[in-house]
Amino acid sequence: MSDGTPADLFFDAAIGLLQRVREEEAEAITAAGTLLADTVAAGGRLFAFGAGHSSLAAQDVVYRAGGLALMNLLTVPGVVGVDVTPATLGSALERVDGLASAVLDTSPLRAGDTLVIISLSGRNALPVEMALGARALGVKVVGVTSVAYATETGSRHSSGTFLRDHCDIVLDSKIAVGDAELTLDTIPAPFAPASTVVTSALMQAMMATAAAALADRGIEPPLLRSGNVDGGHDWNGRVMTEYGDRIFYRY
């Protein structure tokens, strides 16, 4: 590790990754945001899914001040975060064949909807089957993943494919295999993961693009406001009443 404190070096690494995705993924971000706007304008619903720490970026766009009210979390019991005990169970469930199909069979997803699937590696059975199953239903799929895993690791799905192979649009987070940005002679393993920072930024950039695309068409984006500003609850109540049939986290 070169000169600078570990904190400085982490910020440098994160900023470098953010700059890369800003420049290299601009076209894909625009396409993904436009797809979300198309879905909303056509009466479709929006969903986001991520397993483990990838779920953090999915949760960040659901019921979010400044975000689209129509973005719903597609949940899979035991894999949404580290609230399950033991925490390693979530990792194990990501590799279970057939779990995604069971979830899709009981979810509200239908043709005309859009599902954003977040998986850093994109190699496990769950995200691959989720993408395959969703597209079979007529759902558009946006994948947010690190393409490096598809070239440097092997798939854990029976098809030998990765999430990126089953998406309408792919956003590449540029995260290196292993998701650790720093090394130090006195520490035996790489450390300081940046995937959450970068993936959340990609998600918010996509959402911002969608909101602006709707406004450009003369459609008021169904945005939520903070409940901690005056009038926020009234504003959100109006939005949720107007779009209640497309919001699933209320029930």
Side-chain angles (χ1 to χ4, degrees), residues 6 34 133 151 213 220:
T34 302
T151 58
E220 179 184 332

Side-chain angles (χ1 to χ4, degrees), residues 35-44 46 68 70 214 219 222 243 246:
L35 174 58
L36 296 188
D38 291 343
T39 303
V40 173
L46 308 177
L68 291 175
L70 305 193
L214 286 167
I219 300 171
Y243 291 94
R246 293 194 256 175

Side-chain angles (χ1 to χ4, degrees), residues 2-177:
S2 58
D3 293 340
T5 69
D8 288 336
L9 293 170
F10 177 76
F11 281 122
D12 288 343
I15 291 168
L17 285 164
L18 289 170
Q19 190 63 43
R20 280 192 66 194
V21 297
R22 179 182 184 178
E23 295 172 355
E24 298 174 21
E25 298 302 298
E27 185 175 341
I29 291 169
T30 297
T34 302
L35 174 58
L36 296 188
D38 291 343
T39 303
V40 173
R45 295 87 59 79
L46 308 177
F47 295 84
F49 167 76
H53 287 94
S54 290
S55 177
L56 296 174
Q59 294 179 56
D60 191 47
V61 296
V62 176
Y63 188 50
R64 191 70 162 85
L68 291 175
L70 305 193
M71 182 59 78
N72 301 278
L73 188 66
L74 184 64
T75 59
V76 179
V79 306
V80 172
V82 293
D83 57 341
V84 62
T85 303
T88 52
L89 175 61
S91 298
L93 289 173
E94 288 186 64
R95 305 177 190 181
V96 174
D97 292 336
L99 180 55
S101 296
V103 170
L104 290 173
D105 287 345
T106 57
S107 80
L109 270 170
R110 67 188 185 195
D113 294 344
T114 293
L115 171 62
V116 182
I117 301 176
I118 305 167
S119 174
L120 178 61
S121 72
R123 68 188 300 220
N124 289 311
L126 185 56
V128 174
E129 287 185 0
M130 190 75 75
L132 278 165
R135 293 182 88 186
L137 291 173
V139 173
K140 296 291 187 182
V141 174
V142 176
V144 185
T145 187
S146 170
V147 170
Y149 278 85
T151 58
E152 299 177 34
T153 70
S155 170
R156 289 182 174 138
H157 187 252
S158 58
S159 67
T161 60
F162 288 75
L163 170 61
R164 73 162 191 175
D165 300 314
H166 306 288
C167 299
D168 297 280
I169 300 168
V170 174
L171 303 184
D172 182 6
S173 64
K174 317 293 180 182
I175 300 295
V177 173

Side-chain angles (χ1 to χ4, degrees), residues 144-247:
V144 185
T145 187
S146 170
V147 170
Y149 278 85
T151 58
E152 299 177 34
T153 70
S155 170
R156 289 182 174 138
H157 187 252
S158 58
S159 67
T161 60
F162 288 75
L163 170 61
R164 73 162 191 175
D165 300 314
H166 306 288
C167 299
D168 297 280
I169 300 168
V170 174
L171 303 184
D172 182 6
S173 64
K174 317 293 180 182
I175 300 295
V177 173
D179 191 18
E181 294 301 319
L182 305 183
T183 58
L184 193 62
D185 291 342
T186 55
I187 299 177
F191 60 104
S195 61
T196 304
V197 173
V198 178
T199 303
S200 291
L202 279 168
M203 293 292 289
Q204 294 296 350
M206 176 178 62
M207 301 297 284
T209 300
L214 286 167
D216 286 344
R217 304 178 196 189
I219 300 171
E220 179 184 332
L223 296 169
L224 294 173
R225 301 191 70 178
S226 171
N228 296 312
V229 301
D230 291 342
H233 286 298
D234 291 339
W235 173 283
N236 292 342
R238 176 183 64 81
V239 171
M240 289 189 178
T241 297
E242 183 175 352
Y243 291 94
D245 60 334
R246 293 194 256 175
I247 298 172

